[in-house]
Amino acid sequence: MVSEGEAATSLQVLRRLDTGPRGLTEAEAASRLADLGENSPPLPHTASWPLRGARALRDPFTAVLLTLGLVSALVASWGTAVVILALVAVSCGLRAAGEHRADRSLAALRELVAGTATVLRRAGPDAEPRAREVPVAELVPGDVVRLGPGDLVPADVRLLRARGLTVHQAVLTGESAPVAKAAVDVPAVTDAAGGTGAADAAPFQVPYLCFQGSGVASGSATAVVVETGERTRFAVAHGAAAPREASAFDRSVHGISWVLIRFMLLTPPLVLMANAALRGRGLETLPFAVAVAVGLTPEMLPVIVTTCLARGAALLARAHQVVVRRLPALHDLGAVDVLCLDKTGTLTQDRPVVERALGPDGDDDPEVLRWAAAGAWWTLQLAELPAPDALDEALLTAAGPVGEEHDGIGAVPFDPGRRTATAVVAGTLGTHVLVTKGAAEDVLDRCDLDPAERERLLALAAREAGAGLRVLGVATARRPSRARPYTAADEHGLTFRGLVTFRDALAPGAAEALRGLTGLGITVRILTGDHPATAVRACRDLGLGAVEAGAAADWAGPEAGGAEPDGAVAVPGPVVVARCTPEDKARIVAGLRAAGHTVGFLGDGVNDIPALRAADVGIAPRTAVDLARETADVVLAEKDLGAIGHAVTAGRHSSANIASYLRVTLSSNLGNVIAMLAAGLLLPFLPMLPVQVLAQNLCFDAAQLAFAYDRPGPAALLRPTVLRPRAFLRFITGFGVLNAIADLATFGVLALALRGPDALDDEAVFHSAWFTENLLTQALVMFLLRGGTRSGPVGRAAAVLAAVGLLLPPGPLGTALGMTGLPAAYHVLLAAVLGLYAVALRAVRARQDRR
């Protein structure tokens, strides 16, 4: 990969590459192509569809589903087994399709570089070089290529000759303005307004180097190819072969899945060993042990997750034109606590606007703006430029109709070497007026000033630039009229008129959207290729208050983060990180994730692809380049931060429902399993028949479908929602033990209170009592642990579940399942116990909410 040191002089580069200004011979080029390979982005090995599907089985969540399906088949619950195994097949298919889509996106890298290039080649050592078009894939180090306006730079090159060359490097640096390039080693260049534009970070601002994927904005050049293929900065920056890390959703589901797997593997052996040791029952308890394992596992998890996310995604697409390309990304949006984004095109529009026009004394002077706009108008008319540049367009917009009161004589267009442009208009009789504008220091160099005055004016320009403004110097000179054309040599002895300053035009609605994101508990980080002062100025104009800025090279990484007073992980680094290359953006995003944050990244260019891949959820507007849009998880109709706020709220809505389901089902299931294990050891018979356990699970699972349609309380939408396995384990352990105590207390009270022929030593009565009590406690758990104030669909489903628990045992279906009606006294005692249980449940939940 090319570096600054390698390209100190063009002669050294030519010698190192064993070439010359006349280019390579056809034989030399063919030999190097055979040795080094084609000049195209590297593509990973594409796996077959069966292999992709098989690899999906390594996922812990898919393993849980597969294990559950096999367990259901083992206990002859064929309907459940078929449904769950179908879910496994769908999961594998979706994962394989996602990998195929990713491979297709990576293949699109080939389309983002030029198709052909103009190269100098010789038929033999003594033949004259001929310029011809060759496919970019056939370029090799040592080739001499020619570049012109509109060309894409086909490889990493070192300039040999250049004339007025400027290139767009947005695909690599994200900077909006073209960067001037020159064939000699000169100090870092600036734009016409004197700003340093994007990063002076190595090596993209080195004036004699151009990189694959950049586009020529103006001028022409001859250059020697120094790197091709996977060794170019373009290929390295976009890491075509780098796998994407697991997102927040993947990490959460993996953690919860492994907890379930451990419980599932542990439960059957415990049941078998305990019954064999204490009751002399061995293999005959195997169906019951398997049924208990099935009861521990949340069979509806894939259905609830898919339904919640699909409903949220459909609502977003319908109401806000936000397309979620990967369903788990909706959960990740709800979990995002840091949003990283670029400045240009997101917080600001990709155009400058005039801020002020200042006279030499530093006060407002509209005459300065009038002269600058007149110069812009006649330069555009007489230099035959295709369109005004961004600064000239801003001048003409701010000044209104101007310039036509003069007669244009000639123009000397802007040149990146001298960083000025001059228009010549007719003045008073027999005179011409030169209007020169450009970088402040270059304009001042051409003015007739004493050193002290020049230093004062330079300090004035530096003060405005330090405030985050781009600065344009304006000067005029009166000359005797002449017929001879004007050149850059005539730019001397000028009279300094003043300065015009520019700021970035703010994106409509950006300020309000930022306030909305902050209100959602999301920290915004600006990752930009621009100068720190420019980015800080834009952020302050948007109302972000005191904004700290730093360079990408100084970002310390995750170790910069500490702990907030409330226990959350502090967000490391400054609010604005400037001078960012694509690698810097990806590194910062990865560092924030390593510090414990769930990170979203909004980007639209090829330069944003590494960060889009590195983030938990990548976001791109519909207008983004194809590869960025394909890489992103979420696509916005417009580059609108307000739409991100809506998407985050939808993600939290879905995640809150999933979290409520998991809290309720896992704590209830764990309590039931503990109670079953204890009762199985205390009773001379099984506490429930396997078919009754499965029937109970079916009723509970059907009721829990209501969670997919629930409306969580407002508090759940005010902060990021993350499914943290350890937090869930603590929650379900506490409430699961409480649930088990309620189960065992119920039967302890009933065993002492009920006597006679309907006593609890009757298996059918015991099984019926257990079934009813279980469904009633599960209904209470659904209602009380859900959170929020309105019951909604969950409350109605809990009521139906309670009714089933009371009415099913005495009915014909209960008889078929081996159950019977219960005595009236049982219901009185059950109501008393459940009342105490509800009070305890409320008290523990309130205490946990306070903590």
Side-chain angles (χ1 to χ4, degrees):
M1 188 167 56
V2 67
S3 66
E4 297 175 57
E6 289 178 270
T9 68
S10 58
L11 181 60
Q12 290 174 338
V13 173
L14 292 172
R15 286 177 175 173
R16 178 176 63 82
L17 296 172
D18 193 19
T19 186
R22 301 168 68 229
L24 299 174
T25 65
E26 296 289 353
E28 289 172 334
S31 175
R32 296 186 185 191
L33 183 64
D35 292 339
L36 301 176
E38 290 188 349
N39 176 37
S40 57
L43 294 177
H45 172 70
T46 302
S48 64
W49 279 95
L51 180 58
R52 287 180 177 139
R55 284 195 309 217
L57 293 175
R58 297 180 302 180
D59 180 77
F61 182 56
T62 307
V64 169
L65 294 179
L66 181 61
T67 304
L68 181 59
L70 296 177
V71 167
S72 300
L74 186 63
V75 297
S77 180
W78 302 113
T80 303
V82 169
V83 171
I84 293 175
L85 292 176
L87 288 172
V88 171
V90 169
S91 176
C92 293
L94 290 175
R95 193 178 187 90
E99 289 187 10
H100 172 70
R101 204 162 47 238
D103 290 344
R104 188 178 58 193
S105 299
L106 294 176
L109 277 171
R110 294 182 183 273
E111 301 175 4
L112 294 171
V113 295
T116 61
T118 303
V119 63
L120 295 180
R121 291 271 178 88
R122 294 175 290 147
D126 299 326
E128 289 297 315
R130 295 180 55 193
R132 66 186 186 91
E133 295 287 318
V134 301
V136 165
E138 296 180 8
L139 287 181
V140 295
D143 267 328
V144 175
V145 296
R146 289 178 177 173
L147 302 173
D151 288 345
L152 288 178
V153 179
D156 288 355
V157 300
R158 203 285 186 196
L159 297 177
L160 302 177
R161 292 184 296 276
R163 180 178 180 182
L165 182 68
T166 61
V167 298
H168 286 290
Q169 297 187 148
V171 296
L172 293 166
T173 65
E175 55 195 318
S176 55
V179 176
K181 297 288 184 176
V184 294
D185 189 3
V186 297
V189 296
T190 57
D191 57 32
T196 54
D200 56 5
F204 300 112
Q205 291 300 106
V206 176
Y208 44 73
L209 297 179
C210 295
F211 300 92
Q212 184 183 50
S214 303
V216 177
S218 64
S220 60
T222 301
V224 60
V225 175
V226 293
E227 295 289 6
T228 59
E230 61 184 14
R231 297 170 298 279
T232 65
R233 287 268 170 183
F234 181 87
V236 171
H238 303 114
R244 185 168 186 170
E245 294 184 10
S247 68
F249 180 82
D250 295 330
R251 295 193 301 270
S252 299
V253 170
H254 287 190
I256 294 172
S257 298
W258 282 116
V259 170
L260 297 179
I261 289 173
R262 294 185 184 100
F263 273 115
M264 287 177 63
L265 295 178
L266 183 62
T267 300
L270 282 177
V271 174
L272 291 176
M273 288 187 296
N275 277 275
L278 299 178
R279 293 292 178 182
R281 298 190 299 256
L283 292 178
E284 64 268 25
T285 61
L286 178 60
F288 173 72
V290 172
V292 170
V294 172
L296 178 64
T297 307
E299 298 96 330
M300 299 303 292
L301 180 58
V303 177
I304 298 292
V305 168
T306 302
T307 305
C308 285
L309 297 179
R311 289 187 74 245
L315 178 64
L316 270 179
R318 185 169 59 250
H320 304 291
Q321 289 76 53
V322 175
V323 178
V324 179
R325 300 181 64 251
R326 183 177 62 87
L327 276 185
L330 190 60
H331 163 268
D332 295 339
L333 275 170
V336 163
D337 62 341
V338 179
L339 177 64
C340 297
L341 45 86
D342 194 4
K343 174 185 69 69
T344 305
T346 305
L347 301 179
T348 63
Q349 302 178 55
D350 194 9
R351 63 181 181 86
V353 295
V354 172
E355 174 74 3
R356 297 177 67 191
L358 306 175
D361 56 359
D363 294 332
D364 292 333
D365 186 351
E367 192 70 9
V368 178
L369 176 61
R370 191 181 68 81
W371 277 117
W377 170 263
W378 284 111
T379 301
L380 179 65
Q381 300 300 317
L382 300 175
E384 298 182 353
L385 300 177
D389 66 19
L391 297 184
D392 283 351
E393 189 171 12
L395 288 170
L396 295 173
T397 299
V402 69
E404 296 182 2
E405 68 271 21
H406 303 286
D407 292 328
I409 304 300
V412 184
F414 175 81
D415 180 84
R418 72 181 202 284
R419 303 192 302 170
T420 57
T422 295
V424 184
V425 299
T428 55
L429 185 64
T431 63
H432 290 164
V433 177
L434 279 68
V435 183
T436 300
K437 58 183 177 59
E441 54 267 38
D442 291 85
V443 171
L444 288 169
D445 284 344
R446 291 160 173 79
C447 292
D448 189 8
L449 297 169
D450 62 71
E453 178 67 5
R454 183 178 183 277
E455 289 301 319
R456 186 186 70 81
L457 293 172
L458 281 175
L460 175 63
R463 185 193 70 189
E464 297 298 317
L469 299 171
R470 300 175 75 177
V471 182
L472 190 75
V474 183
T476 61
R478 195 172 295 273
R479 301 277 194 267
S481 59
R482 73 186 195 198
R484 179 165 49 89
Y486 286 87
T487 67
D490 295 301
E491 297 175 342
H492 63 83
L494 306 178
T495 300
F496 186 71
R497 290 285 184 173
L499 303 171
V500 180
T501 61
F502 303 80
R503 61 173 173 82
D504 290 331
L506 302 181
E512 182 180 355
L514 284 174
R515 288 193 295 270
L517 291 171
T518 302
L520 291 171
I522 296 175
T523 301
V524 175
R525 286 289 182 264
I526 314 300
L527 310 183
T528 179
D530 279 348
H531 189 279
T534 304
V536 167
R537 175 59 182 256
C539 292
R540 287 176 178 165
D541 289 344
L542 288 166
L544 287 180
V547 176
E548 179 187 358
D554 300 328
W555 195 84
E559 64 273 13
E564 298 282 8
D566 61 358
V569 181
V571 180
V575 173
V576 175
V577 184
R579 310 291 198 188
C580 279
T581 65
E583 298 99 319
D584 291 329
K585 293 180 180 180
R587 175 175 61 87
I588 291 169
V589 169
L592 289 168
R593 292 183 67 192
H597 298 282
T598 303
V599 183
F601 182 84
L602 173 63
D604 60 356
V606 178
N607 62 301
D608 294 320
I609 290 172
L612 287 170
R613 288 186 185 143
D616 288 288
V617 53
I619 310 168
R622 184 177 55 187
T623 54
V625 299
D626 290 345
L627 184 55
R629 197 168 57 248
E630 285 291 313
T631 303
D633 304 302
V634 177
V635 178
L636 311 177
E638 304 293 340
K639 201 170 185 181
D640 177 16
L641 289 179
I644 296 179
H646 293 305
V648 167
T649 300
R652 292 183 183 179
H653 189 138
S654 299
S655 297
N657 286 344
I658 294 170
S660 294
Y661 162 75
L662 284 171
R663 282 195 296 265
V664 168
T665 191
L666 292 180
S667 58
S668 180
N669 288 357
L670 180 61
N672 290 341
V673 167
I674 295 173
M676 278 191 185
L677 293 177
L681 298 177
L682 297 174
L683 295 172
F685 50 83
L686 293 177
M688 284 185 75
L689 299 178
V691 67
Q692 294 167 349
V693 175
L694 296 176
Q696 174 189 286
N697 290 341
L698 180 61
C699 293
F700 192 30
D701 291 342
Q704 289 177 105
L705 278 173
F707 280 104
Y709 302 90
D710 194 22
R711 293 183 63 84
L717 306 180
L718 296 179
R719 60 185 184 274
T721 306
V722 183
L723 305 177
R724 301 188 187 277
R726 290 186 178 180
F728 268 96
L729 186 58
R730 290 194 299 268
F731 186 98
I732 66 174
T733 300
F735 283 97
V737 170
L738 181 62
N739 190 22
I741 292 173
D743 287 347
L744 295 175
T746 299
F747 296 114
V749 170
L750 295 176
L752 295 175
L754 295 181
R755 301 296 181 188
D758 294 326
L760 292 187
D761 57 359
D762 186 316
E763 290 188 32
V765 174
F766 187 91
H767 293 161
S768 302
W770 183 281
F771 184 91
T772 298
E773 190 272 345
N774 255 339
L775 290 190
L776 290 177
T777 55
Q778 287 172 337
L780 270 178
V781 168
M782 283 182 63
F783 186 77
L784 297 178
L785 289 193
R786 163 188 166 272
T789 55
R790 296 168 52 186
S791 59
V794 172
R796 293 190 291 271
V800 172
L801 183 63
V804 170
L806 292 170
L807 300 177
L808 189 146
L813 184 56
T815 303
L817 294 174
M819 293 186 287
T820 185
L822 297 171
Y826 171 84
H827 296 289
V828 175
L829 291 171
L830 180 61
V833 173
L834 290 178
L836 293 174
Y837 174 59
V839 171
L841 202 61
R842 275 287 192 186
V844 175
R845 178 60 193 264
R847 181 184 177 188
Q848 186 180 66
D849 288 344
R850 287 194 301 270
R851 293 175 60 186

